[in-house]
Amino acid sequence: MLEGLVVIVTGASKGIGRGIAEYLVDQGVKLTVTSRKRERIEAAAAELRDRGGDVLAVAGSVGSQDHAIEVVDRTVERWGTVDGLVANAQSFRPTMPLLEVDESDMDVLFDTGPKGTLWFMQAVHPHMAAKGRGRIITFGTNVGITGGPGYGPYGAAKESIRSLTRTAAREWGCDGITVNCVNPASVAHRAPPDDDPDRLASYKALFDNHPMGRDGDPVSDIAPVIGFLLSDASQYVTGETFQVDGGGLMRP
């Protein structure tokens, strides 16, 4: 279903992005992985190659439009095409009340969130449109929907990504490109967050009255949904937000 596809995964050195990358190489996907720190993404790529993956690593800031263009150009140079984009990367800031948010907080989150996602979406578009087939997957967050205290700038950035997702789905559908967003629940790569009382409280509350009572696993819970959205099975699904959170959004 996925074997032979060429896919870019941003923010692939750890956490959800890393789990998705592992899943995809196991499915025979040719993979370009990116992250800000060169040593981390090179180490991740080496481990992915040890799993048998055909992997290209490119380091750089997701908030740079030049980086997005470089990643896509190098991907096409190596494999001749790009079939999918998994725009997972997003910098994070400490939780804080809205009254304490400053310009630098907003700049970091919006540069690496909606702006970085858009730069990658723009860069892959002509290659996907030229062959009439493409899959773009973006990432939101439930705290953008629920208004999680302390997560105002992060939630706002993620909601902007969801808006871009819907607009791209409408504008690029006739090009054969689907664009969907995933709201995952997988915070284990940051646990235990006991260095920050607000984050610790949010982490514990995440599973209070949770339908499944557990965190999402990046490889076995999150990545298979990404696989579906990259596949031909999702060819008539676009502009949607997928709550891959074990039903967590239903909590009262």
Side-chain angles (χ1 to χ4, degrees), residues 168-225:
R170 289 181 65 96
E171 292 186 359
W172 299 349
C174 290
D175 295 325
I177 301 171
T178 65
V179 193
N180 291 287
C181 183
V182 169
N183 283 359
S186 177
V187 295
H189 63 289
R190 289 183 175 144
D194 50 10
D195 59 324
D196 183 328
D198 289 333
R199 277 182 55 204
L200 180 59
S202 295
Y203 180 82
K204 289 180 176 179
L206 183 64
F207 305 109
D208 286 346
N209 200 28
H210 187 281
M212 300 188 73
R214 66 174 179 85
D215 194 8
D217 181 81
V219 178
S220 61
D221 292 324
I222 312 299
V225 179

Side-chain angles (χ1 to χ4, degrees), residues 139-162 183-184 241 243 249:
F139 282 78
T141 178
N142 284 356
V143 298
I145 298 173
T146 63
Y151 290 88
Y154 183 73
K158 289 297 192 180
E159 284 295 274
S160 295
I161 290 173
R162 288 211 304 146
N183 283 359
T241 297
Q243 298 294 146
L249 193 64

